[in-house]
Amino acid sequence: MQRTLQWLSIYNCRELFWSENPFLIETLQQLTQLQHLDLSKDDPEENMGLPAFLDCSQILVDKDFLERLLPSLPNLTWLDLSGNAKFSFGDLKLFQQCYPQMLKFLGLFMTDMCSFPEIPADQVSGNGNVKQITLSVKIYNNRPTFLTSAMRELFNIIRDEYPDLDKNLMCNVVLGAMESQTKDKHIQLAGR
């Protein structure tokens, strides 16, 4: 399986993210055919207060992780690091070195990296601009924490910065998100 696996999601796998798991990076490095890798986390049970946020040991993806992982995955086109990454603008060179063609997707929602200029991906989820936020609302419709946050960001940015934005498009994006999570009160309130 390690030579043929093309799609892997370890989204919110708390045991892998929080334990001192020395085998995680070695295992991922063996999956050389991977095209889609999801390492994101938005665990609502996790208490991510300021002290936990400042303690980068809870972040899975950093420069060292990228330096070890990216060269091993030459076929990667889709990578989601949302809520689970902390690296600097200069570290984006690692993507350019490993992937002469830009990634099709790079998930950076709920990270500081979504504000970097010239992110090496065709599509970027994040909260750095309207395009990133709109994409986040569309693709995270099965992740309530991300979806609620993205909808709030979208509302704030439309209200404060882009009063002339296509309101029909934004309404359709928000309604689609609300319809995907009809029983989640946080999403329903964020969409109103």
Side-chain angles (χ1 to χ4, degrees), residues 76-89:
L76 196 65
T77 60
W78 197 101
L79 178 62
D80 199 343
L81 306 174
S82 296
N84 202 22
K86 191 163 187 75
F87 48 89
S88 70
F89 177 68

Side-chain angles (χ1 to χ4, degrees), residues 53-123:
F53 178 75
L54 295 174
D55 177 15
C56 293
S57 66
Q58 293 189 349
I59 300 294
L60 174 66
V61 180
D62 58 11
K63 180 182 179 181
D64 180 57
F65 189 94
L66 290 175
E67 285 176 335
R68 295 175 62 200
L69 180 66
L70 295 181
S72 305
L73 304 177
N75 299 307
L76 196 65
T77 60
W78 197 101
L79 178 62
D80 199 343
L81 306 174
S82 296
N84 202 22
K86 191 163 187 75
F87 48 89
S88 70
F89 177 68
D91 299 337
L92 289 177
K93 291 177 186 172
L94 295 168
F95 289 97
Q96 294 162 334
Q97 291 168 357
C98 296
Y99 307 106
Q101 299 273 35
M102 287 198 297
L103 293 174
K104 291 180 183 174
F105 173 83
L106 182 57
L108 296 175
F109 190 72
M110 294 180 75
T111 71
D112 293 336
M113 286 70 67
C114 63
S115 300
F116 293 163
E118 301 177 31
I119 297 171
D122 293 332
Q123 292 187 310

